[in-house]
Amino acid sequence: MPFHLRGQLLLRTGRRHYAKNISPKTRSSLPTIAKNPPYPKKHIQASSIELFVLIAGCVGWGAIAGLSLHSYLSEDDGGHFGSASLSSVDLGWNTKPKPDMKKAMSLLRNLFPEEGKVITDLKSLKSYSETKFLAYIGSQDAQPHKVIVFPTTTEDVVKIVKVANNCNVPIVPRGSGTGLEGHSSNITDDNICVDLSHMNTILQINENDSDLVCQAGATWDDINHTLQDSGIKLFFLLDPAPGATIGGMMATSCSGTNAVRYGTARAEWFLSATVVLPSGEVIKTRRRAHKSSAGFDLTQLFIGSEGTLGIITEVAIRLAPLLPSTVAIAHFPNVENACSAVDALLKSQYGVHIQCVELADSIFMEALNHSLTSSGTATSYPVSDSLFIKLQGDKDTLRDVSRVTKQILERHGSMKIRFANGNEEARTMWDHRKGALLGILGYIKDSEVWSTDVCVPVSNLPKLVRQVQEDAATMNVICPIVGHVGDGNFHAALIYRSKSEFKKVQELSKRIVERALTLDGTCTGEHGVGVGKRHYLAKELGDETVEVMRTIKRTIDPKDLMNPGKLYPPV
């Protein structure tokens, strides 16, 4: 029987018919509801789930067989929800059910009567729809959210999603607002912003297993501080913007400065996730084992999904040993020399001890000096293309690695090399790189910043950086560049002060992406797609690949409730 007819039959006859007729093979493919979840089972009743999905796009294997999903909402949550029929939903999204925002807000207030749980004042609604610092493609079109809800448990998120489903109101998940491509912005008339920042509890620390389980609103830096304060010599190595939440990091497939040594979000640092689907049902993508070949890797499906397939509420993450480290800064006459030095370093016998290696161009170094002077710091650096390098290992290893590193840097034209004298100076030097954004924001008075990132094969990075530097000079745009040179990823901060400069910045941003794609790269190495980069996706991946992504989205979220207008290119 065709899938759409079978789905309609299931909706008419209910769970009993489904349970009686489902084949063992199909039964084995059903998603797992977390055992002994920290919320009452009465909130996750499902009238029927038929899952015939081969979502192999998330692991690179292939094709989609199809999925039909239906859930009903119980009355246990404090209001009459009724049944959410999906049979009339156009999977092409040409027509959508009309949202009932008034009803949704009334239900949310009844469900969450505590002060501060549901926010509707205009100032907060507007600020929560904006990226904290920067402009991006489409940022000028961001609208205030209609309501913000602060859940503290997975059960709370289930309630919110059920309200949204019943009232046909879109949902925008939000972590801490550090995303740079408008992931938590509102681009629809009506929506519910689900702010997960209050879900910040570390639930388990499994020191013997080198992992922990936390709620999605916990931040990576708070996790590392907790581990340090507990005397545990482990750390979570993905390190994007300070204050980024684990759920947001997973949803945007983040990485950071440690990627050259440890890899990115897709390198199984996220072991499993608890996710509330658009239907209100809850799944756990896998167990806490560090290795599994049991079926499709649904954890990978939600990495990079940007809140468009469900809301991540809990995550199990893998930890790495915290090793002693030191920092060096080397200055070069040009980007080409700096990049060739990095290539030699990583391919040397001590390459495995290079924890981070960061490129900072001469304009960034000038902005950094300005920031240091403004803060009353006496430190200053040569204004030239530079490398920030973090080395790791025990005392004897660091001595040998530092010696070889110095030799390689000098061989490739470094004009000046400075090694940290002790742990405190190493932290200070590294903070000068990690605080790059704040330094750039204060560089030009009364200016704003448009930030973008791209990634290319490492061998193409020097060419791309040089092209961008020349484009910026030709267009008279101030454009500091910092990047994770070891894996071909760099960030450009395009500074503007007027509408005319804003137009030039827009054009330069577009040119940066187009140049990266020409060099077999990607429109984003770690920021994610969001609103700003979705128009480039088809050019990068091809129409057929993008259509597979759309099919997954339409299948799991047929009402297009989860973060609409993000990630997927418009049809």
Side-chain angles (χ1 to χ4, degrees), residues 363-376:
I363 298 177
F364 169 74
M365 297 305 293
E366 184 177 331
L368 174 59
N369 284 341
H370 178 272
S371 175
L372 294 173
T373 300
S374 299
S375 64

Side-chain angles (χ1 to χ4, degrees), residues 317-340:
I317 59 176
R318 194 157 54 97
L319 306 173
L322 183 62
L323 303 177
S325 63
T326 191
V327 173
I329 301 178
H331 308 280
F332 293 85
N334 53 56
V335 169
E336 289 79 5
N337 283 56
C339 290
S340 66

